[in-house]
Amino acid sequence: MLGLLGIILSLAGLIYFAYRGYSVLFLAPLMALVAVVFSGVLSAELFGTYTQIFMQGLGRYLIQFFPIFLLGAIFGKVMADSGAAETIARTVVDRLGAARAIAAVVLSCAILTYGGVSLFVVAFAVFPIAVSLFRAADIPRRLIPAAIALGSFTFTMTALPGTPAIQNAIPSAFFGTDTFAAPGLGLIAAAMMLFGGLFWLQRRAAAAKAAGEGYGPAGPTDGELVPERALPSFALAILPIITVIGLNYLLSKVIFPGTDLSFLAEKRFGEVSPSAVTGLWALIGALTAAIALALITQRRYLSDIRTSLNEGTMGSLLPIFNTASEVAYGAVIASLAGFLVVRDAVVGIAPGNPLISLSVAINTLAGITGSASGGLSIALDTLGSTYLERAQAIGISPELLHRVATISSGGFDVLPHNGAVVTLLAITGLTHAKSYLDIFVVAAIIPVIALITVIVLGSTLGTF
């Protein structure tokens, strides 16, 4: 009982101090050790827990997913520095116009994030354009964060088949799937998130107009406009985006399945099955090719390639180590006797349908950690094999598990202490009090409704 109390207190501490802005890099091991102490360990086992469980868990995550974080960060930096991200955003805006300001901002963000550009890069690139659009349309600026959130970390992060987001890559390592798993269900969920979010934001804008509320006073960051500069054409800008999506599909569905990968059974390659790694290989190949293509075709728009590559590389380190630390925290908690009570309670939810239990577990952990990738990784690292066995025993495909797991990670991860939410509000110069409600509706409530729909459809009709 004391061990379970320790787990609860450590989770509470993780939420509280993360919300207060403390780094997860030292917070995660510290809170893990709090749980260990409550379990009755007050000896050299504390050191053993840190080096043999926490650090081993952190290391495993780095080995699996560092290439995706690294390449994604570099690709985003190159697309931002060359002006390609700005070109794509401005082209969408020009086509839709100020009359469709909300849809223009959402779709600009969606194209960029679906193409592999990080949401932080997207927020910086799109925000100045959003300010101009919302001001011209006299839409309250407090709705800008929700519009960026809808386009950046909802359907393009978790639902659209083939999205290179890390949240869509993580289940591949546990279920032997690829990023195009359950494409039909993913598209249905994506449509619900997109149109549901647009409906909400349009209604909010209309209500504000009826109440006489316009754009409002300029914010502290409104004047930080992107300086005029030479930009690549839309064709050049969109080509690397198309490469990521297209090559990812070819590698996942055509090239790797038709390649002799029997060498993976050898001891020096870890004796793994091809399905356990090819999903990640496809993303690595697609992002690498897209980076090379962007560097070649957009060379004249890059002032310093070395700086872009170096800053992109350094920009990948904090996100990967933050997430890996959260996963390592989960590994420590999973090693404690008190976790058996938690595990049995979670797995026991809807025993006839592991999809429900899986979605509850991931949403809960994502909410606690304030991280979609962190919550997803902890859940699958500790319970992934259990869910896979239970699902296969009743005829649920790994592809359906993959899509439900990915969509689940993008629900209650956006609680107020979520790093992306905090950063987005900082970029836009707004506060939780003014803008968080709309973020929560479009990035949590509507995605959860889409998740429930996918679970119902997948449970009754199967995977498609």
Side-chain angles (χ1 to χ4, degrees):
M1 192 57 160
L2 195 60
L4 182 59
L5 176 62
I7 292 174
I8 294 172
L9 289 176
S10 75
L11 289 172
L14 188 66
I15 295 173
Y16 175 77
F17 289 109
Y19 182 68
R20 301 283 293 184
Y22 288 87
S23 172
V24 173
L25 293 182
F26 72 83
L27 185 60
L30 181 62
M31 291 299 104
L33 291 179
V34 167
V36 173
V37 169
F38 269 80
S39 71
V41 174
L42 290 171
S43 63
E45 284 187 35
L46 287 173
F47 294 96
T49 298
Y50 181 67
T51 62
Q52 305 308 118
I53 300 178
F54 185 91
M55 290 306 300
Q56 295 292 325
L58 185 148
R60 284 194 303 271
Y61 190 86
L62 289 177
I63 290 170
Q64 280 186 310
F65 299 113
F66 179 65
I68 307 301
F69 278 85
L70 174 65
L71 294 170
I74 292 175
F75 181 57
K77 185 62 177 172
V78 170
M79 291 290 285
D81 288 354
S82 69
E86 185 180 347
T87 291
I88 293 170
R90 289 190 180 280
T91 301
V92 173
V93 166
D94 290 343
R95 294 292 175 87
L96 293 180
R100 298 182 180 87
I102 294 175
V105 170
V106 171
L107 292 178
S108 297
C109 294
I111 291 172
L112 290 168
T113 50
Y114 187 48
V117 181
S118 79
L119 64 93
F120 298 108
V121 170
V122 170
F124 276 109
V126 173
F127 174 62
I129 301 171
V131 167
S132 299
L133 275 177
F134 276 52
R135 183 184 284 132
D138 203 27
I139 297 172
R141 73 185 296 276
R142 60 182 171 81
L143 296 178
I144 293 177
I148 294 175
L150 175 58
S152 299
F153 44 92
T154 60
F155 61 98
T156 60
M157 185 178 82
T158 64
L160 283 180
T163 176
I166 187 64
Q167 293 80 5
N168 194 34
I170 289 170
S172 298
F174 296 93
F175 301 142
T177 49
D178 60 50
T179 57
F180 291 88
L185 291 169
L187 288 172
I188 290 172
M192 292 183 66
M193 293 182 206
L194 171 59
F195 293 111
L198 285 174
F199 176 77
W200 171 264
L201 292 178
Q202 295 288 3
R203 287 290 299 272
R204 293 281 284 174
K209 183 177 181 179
E213 180 186 2
Y215 180 80
T221 57
D222 282 13
E224 298 175 9
L225 300 177
V226 178
E228 291 294 328
R229 56 170 172 163
L231 296 174
S233 66
F234 180 76
L236 282 183
I238 202 70
L239 191 57
I241 300 285
I242 295 172
T243 299
V244 171
I245 301 168
L247 189 54
N248 183 20
Y249 182 85
L250 285 176
L251 290 171
S252 297
K253 299 298 186 181
V254 180
I255 296 175
F256 288 140
T259 303
D260 180 10
L261 301 177
S262 58
F263 66 88
L264 288 172
E266 298 176 20
K267 187 174 182 180
R268 66 188 177 123
F269 291 108
E271 299 174 319
V272 299
S273 65
S275 62
V277 294
T278 52
L280 297 176
W281 287 4
L283 273 182
I284 292 171
L287 286 169
T288 300
I291 291 169
L293 183 61
L295 290 175
I296 293 170
T297 60
Q298 299 167 21
R299 173 66 185 89
R300 64 181 288 250
Y301 303 100
L302 291 163
S303 59
D304 189 338
I305 289 179
R306 182 181 62 181
T307 298
S308 295
L309 294 176
N310 286 346
E311 290 183 355
T313 299
M314 296 305 294
S316 72
L317 298 182
L318 186 59
I320 180 67
F321 272 94
N322 277 342
T323 305
S325 294
E326 292 167 346
V327 173
Y329 167 85
V332 172
I333 298 301
S335 72
L336 303 177
F339 179 73
L340 295 177
V341 178
V342 178
R343 184 197 65 187
D344 292 343
V346 171
V347 174
I349 297 172
N353 191 338
L355 297 176
I356 298 175
S357 175
L358 175 65
S359 64
V360 171
I362 294 174
N363 264 293
T364 301
L365 289 168
I368 288 170
T369 60
S371 167
S373 56
L376 177 61
S377 298
I378 293 171
L380 296 186
D381 197 46
T382 55
L383 296 169
S385 59
T386 300
Y387 283 120
L388 182 59
E389 291 172 6
R390 291 186 62 196
Q392 290 179 327
I394 60 175
I396 293 176
S397 72
E399 287 75 20
L400 180 53
L401 273 182
H402 177 125
R403 189 54 55 206
V404 168
T406 302
I407 296 174
S408 297
S409 72
F412 289 109
D413 63 309
V414 292
L415 291 182
H417 61 291
N418 174 272
V421 170
V422 173
T423 301
L424 178 57
L425 292 175
I427 291 170
T428 57
L430 287 155
T431 63
H432 283 79
K434 289 183 178 180
S435 297
Y436 181 70
L437 171 63
D438 296 297
I439 294 174
F440 185 72
V441 171
V442 302
I445 299 298
I446 294 174
V448 168
I449 293 172
L451 169 64
I452 294 170
T453 302
V454 167
I455 291 174
V456 172
L457 291 175
S459 300
T460 55
L461 303 177
T463 306
F464 59 91

